[in-house]
Amino acid sequence: MAGSTLRDVARRAGVSIRTVSNVVNGSVPVSDELRVRVQAALDELDYRPNLVARNLRRGRSGMIALVVPELDVPYFAELAREVITAARAHHYVVMLDQTDGDGERERELLGRESRATMFDGLLLSPLSISADELRRRTNRVPVVLLGEHIFNGSFHHVAIDNVVAAREATEHLLGLGRRRIAAIGDQPYSTGETAQLRTTGYRQALERAGLTVDDELIVPTPRFHRHLGAQAMERLLALPEPPDAVFCYNDLLAIGAMHTLTRAGVRVPDDIAVVGVDGIQEGRYSSPSLTTVAPDKAAIARTAVSTLLGVIDGSAPVPTETKAPHRLVVRESTAGARTD
Amino acid sequence: MAGSTLRDVARRAGVSIRTVSNVVNGSVPVSDELRVRVQAALDELDYRPNLVARNLRRGRSGMIALVVPELDVPYFAELAREVITAARAHHYVVMLDQTDGDGERERELLGRESRATMFDGLLLSPLSISADELRRRTNRVPVVLLGEHIFNGSFHHVAIDNVVAAREATEHLLGLGRRRIAAIGDQPYSTGETAQLRTTGYRQALERAGLTVDDELIVPTPRFHRHLGAQAMERLLALPEPPDAVFCYNDLLAIGAMHTLTRAGVRVPDDIAVVGVDGIQEGRYSSPSLTTVAPDKAAIARTAVSTLLGVIDGSAPVPTETKAPHRLVVRESTAGARTD
DNA sequence: CATCATCTCTGCATCGTTGCAAAGCGCACG
DNA sequence: CGTGCGCTTTGCAACGATGCAGAGATGATG
């Protein structure tokens, strides 16, 4: 029951511990005769290396942590999937934690008694923590930031170009002939940088089209959840002059918005076209299916993981700001065709 | 940069390593004078305990692994969220891995060179691996199984009562007056036990209502994904006598099915009522919103974690089969009211 | 035949922490 | 004043693995 150790195997095979280790690792040549004998002992005792001990000796754990606000938000679940896959390609495993966007939890994560030291590095998708704090707390552990916040070059960072993504989404709506385009999801305060970038892109698109931005059409939401999208849409429908299209800052907001529209008998896209961001699977089977700006999550994950591993092995000391690709996926919610 | 150790702190404070350790852990009393001095040294050097070393010494890692088929399947993401939360309450962290339902991956997970030894225990949601194999491979690591497969009492196991859940879902449809009720998601082969249990419940409900089961209405699907639900529904619509209700073995199948129905101009629930299983958030904002049998995921997670920890500390040697609660959540997809 | 290079194999030290037992110290008590 | 008790503090060993340097054995070479 209690796992056997190198010592047990060595005793059984009548060789030194070191020789068993050599057989297990295969790095140092071992004579055929001994190898066979040791291998037999390994099999009989069903030896499994104690990775904790190995890690201590090697100074590496082979584990990274991925910290996201909420794992049950599809975007993060899908991203986590890709991160796990990308990490596996480098023989790394991934510990997952979620902060619920709670700054306290984020801080605790990096604090004195945290488990952070167990990991070779951290992939962090911070919501509430400030750049200063992060800097103060991460002087030990290699960190790569994902998608959120701007930390003006002091951190490794992987994200899509949010301004461009938002501009393209809005331009797509303009291309349909819509002129009264709303935006759902602005976050005009210090930790809402991502949202603000999307607002910037939205404004750019309208201005380039020679339209004036109607601030009434920009509805802020504290988070990016379905029910907040639904609420925001209600507010927009109550306007004297409702919009004819909505750019939602993520797909969940868009799905919430479409929920409100469907209930209100407003046709999508005929009366109001809807576009989201994130490219989550849910949007492919919603009714109507959702047009979205889809970040290349696999690319984000691969880049983030390899950047992090670079920091870990010291080959990437200078913070890099990587822009990951995205593409517009057009579906029914902005298609010319009727929904039903 | 390189983290300071107990030795460094001890040197600086002019005390023994052991005393520093005592201050850090707080378990053994230390005189005020020394504690202050040591604490100062700890702060100055920003000491963080090396958890790998601590784990080696203590023989516990404080980590469990959660292995699910696919993390981007909402049910598993939501379950993972609860598991992480439940584990945190016990000061445990959770490593996440996914197998893609690939038996090879599941086997590898338990194999010789796996990371399994790094964890104190495993929460496993197996898809393809057989009971025998699992038994052969898990003689070392404490394991609790989640929701899938039947392993006739040789493993700790937490799941809802699938037969009852399926029966209740079907009875709900019967209660609406529907009489031609289809089922989507059967898996009539060795690793599809969960699906088979749901088929059993479905049959029970029909038989108790004095109806005969029309095997044509039971559409198998190899997995529980949206597009397979959509395909299955197409098949049902093509029948000479289509159903007036569908029980889908999970919410994704149901959402796929509703997608097909909406496109085909079939009204839900007026023409065909739909019910799913899993209680994922997506179903609350789908159009129409989805009636579902919702397992209490938090309860499943709590039970699974505390059972696992019981196995780990040896206080729960006999395999327990726990039935977690579930409840029927009625929404638009089976409501009397019109959708639009 | 002596010498040296080569190839296996081994023992020791070490990673950073904690368990254990005993040392050191002060104080109360006979 | 000596003994014993309780409290704090310490040194040593150990968790299980690997790096390193060196010991043996073997073969090649002059």
Side-chain angles (χ1 to χ4, degrees):
Chain A
M1 181 69 196
S4 43
T5 72
L6 283 183
R7 193 200 336 267
D8 303 329
V9 178
R11 243 196 298 261
R12 176 157 196 129
V15 297
S16 77
I17 292 178
R18 204 60 185 72
T19 298
V20 180
S21 170
N22 288 338
V23 171
V24 170
N25 289 293
S27 45
V28 177
V30 174
S31 69
D32 288 349
E33 188 211 330
L34 277 198
R35 190 194 356 268
V36 169
R37 218 163 77 211
V38 169
Q39 191 58 55
L42 285 170
D43 291 341
E44 284 161 26
L45 294 178
D46 191 22
Y47 169 81
R48 319 264 178 122
N50 179 322
L51 297 181
V52 175
R54 181 180 283 176
N55 291 343
L56 173 60
R57 185 60 243 232
R58 291 189 179 163
R60 285 275 177 88
S61 69
M63 301 190 289
I64 59 177
L66 169 63
V67 184
V68 296
E70 294 163 293
L71 193 52
D72 52 352
V73 166
Y75 175 75
F76 292 117
E78 296 179 14
L79 182 63
R81 179 202 178 95
E82 299 295 343
V83 168
I84 290 173
T85 303
R88 177 162 30 224
H90 296 273
H91 304 287
Y92 262 78
V93 296
V94 179
M95 202 284 306
L96 253 151
D97 206 357
Q98 57 201 350
T99 60
D100 294 312
D102 176 357
E104 215 34 70
R105 197 76 65 66
E106 295 183 346
R107 246 160 261 134
E108 177 189 316
L109 187 87
L110 302 166
R112 172 71 50 89
E113 271 303 317
S114 90
R115 308 255 172 185
T117 56
M118 222 169 0
F119 308 107
D120 295 343
L122 250 52
L123 292 178
L124 206 53
S125 186
L127 269 193
S128 316
I129 203 168
S130 76
D132 273 355
E133 260 198 289
L134 201 54
R135 227 182 328 266
R136 223 176 312 127
R137 287 165 178 280
T138 57
N139 45 357
R140 287 256 193 296
V141 196
V143 172
V144 171
L145 299 179
L146 287 174
E148 300 285 339
H149 275 340
I150 317 169
F151 287 101
N152 57 6
S154 48
F155 285 96
H156 294 269
H157 187 227
V158 182
I160 60 170
D161 188 326
N162 279 295
V163 176
V164 172
R167 200 173 62 218
E168 288 174 4
T170 311
E171 282 167 351
H172 171 64
L173 295 172
L174 288 165
L176 301 175
R178 313 292 164 133
R179 285 298 174 268
R180 193 158 167 73
I181 301 174
I184 296 181
D186 191 31
Q187 299 180 336
Y189 37 81
S190 69
T191 55
E193 285 97 338
T194 300
Q196 289 163 36
L197 292 175
R198 294 183 184 169
T199 301
T200 301
Y202 162 79
R203 293 192 121 96
Q204 278 185 8
L206 293 185
E207 283 159 12
R208 288 185 187 186
L211 298 174
T212 53
V213 176
D214 181 352
D215 283 339
E216 220 177 31
L217 292 181
I218 302 180
V219 184
T221 63
R223 309 282 287 270
F224 285 179
H225 289 171
R226 297 178 188 85
H227 70 280
L228 296 170
Q231 287 170 18
M233 196 68 236
E234 281 165 18
R235 217 171 111 185
L236 286 170
L237 286 181
L239 287 179
E241 198 184 344
D244 56 11
V246 193
F247 166 44
C248 298
Y249 289 12
N250 86 341
D251 287 348
L252 291 189
L253 290 172
I255 282 164
M258 292 200 304
H259 184 74
T260 294
L261 291 173
T262 304
R263 294 206 164 188
V266 178
R267 292 167 307 165
V268 179
D270 309 59
D271 302 325
I272 299 187
V274 179
V275 58
V277 178
D278 276 355
I280 62 175
Q281 294 168 34
E282 184 171 344
R284 294 172 55 176
Y285 285 86
S286 61
S287 301
S289 57
L290 179 65
T291 295
T292 185
V293 178
D296 185 338
K297 303 187 195 75
I300 293 176
R302 277 196 308 270
T303 306
V305 167
S306 60
T307 302
L308 184 58
L309 298 187
V311 181
I312 291 170
D313 74 16
S315 64
V318 182
T320 53
E321 191 94 2
T322 310
K323 292 263 179 271
H326 65 263
R327 69 197 177 88
L328 181 72
V329 180
V330 179
R331 300 209 190 92
E332 293 167 349
S333 72
T334 66
R338 286 238 162 185
T339 307
D340 48 335
Chain B
M1 183 69 196
S4 43
T5 72
L6 284 183
R7 188 191 351 256
D8 303 329
V9 178
R11 242 197 297 261
R12 176 157 195 130
V15 297
S16 76
I17 292 179
R18 203 60 185 72
T19 299
V20 180
S21 171
N22 288 338
V23 171
V24 170
N25 289 294
S27 46
V28 178
V30 174
S31 69
D32 287 351
E33 190 212 328
L34 277 198
R35 187 190 0 263
V36 169
R37 219 163 76 210
V38 169
Q39 191 58 54
L42 285 170
D43 291 341
E44 284 161 26
L45 295 177
D46 191 21
Y47 169 80
R48 318 266 178 121
N50 180 323
L51 297 180
V52 175
R54 181 180 283 176
N55 291 342
L56 172 59
R57 185 59 245 233
R58 290 189 179 165
R60 287 275 176 88
S61 70
M63 300 189 290
I64 58 178
L66 169 63
V67 184
V68 297
E70 293 162 294
L71 194 51
D72 53 352
V73 166
Y75 176 76
F76 291 118
E78 295 178 15
L79 182 64
R81 178 202 179 96
E82 299 295 343
V83 168
I84 289 173
T85 303
R88 182 172 14 234
H90 296 272
H91 304 287
Y92 262 78
V93 297
V94 179
M95 203 284 306
L96 254 152
D97 206 356
Q98 57 201 349
T99 60
D100 294 312
D102 176 357
E104 214 36 67
R105 196 77 64 65
E106 295 181 347
R107 246 161 262 134
E108 177 188 315
L109 187 87
L110 302 167
R112 174 68 52 88
E113 271 303 317
S114 90
R115 309 256 172 184
T117 56
M118 222 167 6
F119 307 107
D120 296 343
L122 251 51
L123 292 177
L124 206 52
S125 187
L127 270 192
S128 315
I129 203 167
S130 76
D132 272 356
E133 261 199 287
L134 201 53
R135 227 183 327 268
R136 223 176 312 128
R137 288 165 178 280
T138 57
N139 46 356
R140 286 258 192 296
V141 195
V143 172
V144 171
L145 299 179
L146 287 173
E148 300 285 341
H149 274 339
I150 316 168
F151 287 101
N152 58 3
S154 48
F155 284 97
H156 293 269
H157 187 227
V158 181
I160 61 170
D161 188 326
N162 279 295
V163 175
V164 172
R167 200 172 64 216
E168 288 174 4
T170 312
E171 281 167 350
H172 171 64
L173 294 172
L174 288 165
L176 300 175
R178 313 292 165 133
R179 284 299 172 270
R180 191 155 170 74
I181 301 174
I184 296 181
D186 191 31
Q187 298 180 338
Y189 38 82
S190 69
T191 54
E193 285 97 339
T194 300
Q196 289 163 37
L197 291 175
R198 293 183 184 170
T199 302
T200 302
Y202 162 80
R203 294 192 121 96
Q204 277 185 8
L206 293 185
E207 282 158 11
R208 289 186 187 184
L211 299 174
T212 52
V213 177
D214 180 352
D215 283 338
E216 221 177 29
L217 292 182
I218 302 180
V219 184
T221 64
R223 309 282 286 271
F224 284 0
H225 289 171
R226 298 177 189 85
H227 70 280
L228 296 170
Q231 286 170 18
M233 195 68 236
E234 281 165 18
R235 216 170 112 186
L236 287 169
L237 285 182
L239 288 178
E241 198 183 345
D244 57 9
V246 192
F247 166 44
C248 298
Y249 288 12
N250 87 340
D251 287 348
L252 291 188
L253 290 172
I255 282 165
M258 292 202 303
H259 185 73
T260 294
L261 292 172
T262 303
R263 295 208 164 187
V266 178
R267 290 168 308 166
V268 179
D270 309 60
D271 301 324
I272 299 186
V274 179
V275 58
V277 179
D278 276 355
I280 63 175
Q281 294 167 35
E282 184 170 344
R284 294 173 55 176
Y285 285 86
S286 60
S287 301
S289 58
L290 179 65
T291 295
T292 184
V293 178
D296 185 339
K297 302 187 195 78
I300 293 175
R302 278 196 308 271
T303 306
V305 168
S306 60
T307 303
L308 184 59
L309 297 187
V311 181
I312 291 170
D313 75 15
S315 64
V318 182
T320 53
E321 191 95 1
T322 309
K323 291 263 179 273
H326 64 263
R327 70 198 176 85
L328 181 73
V329 180
V330 179
R331 300 211 189 91
E332 293 166 350
S333 71
T334 66
R338 287 235 160 187
T339 307
D340 47 335

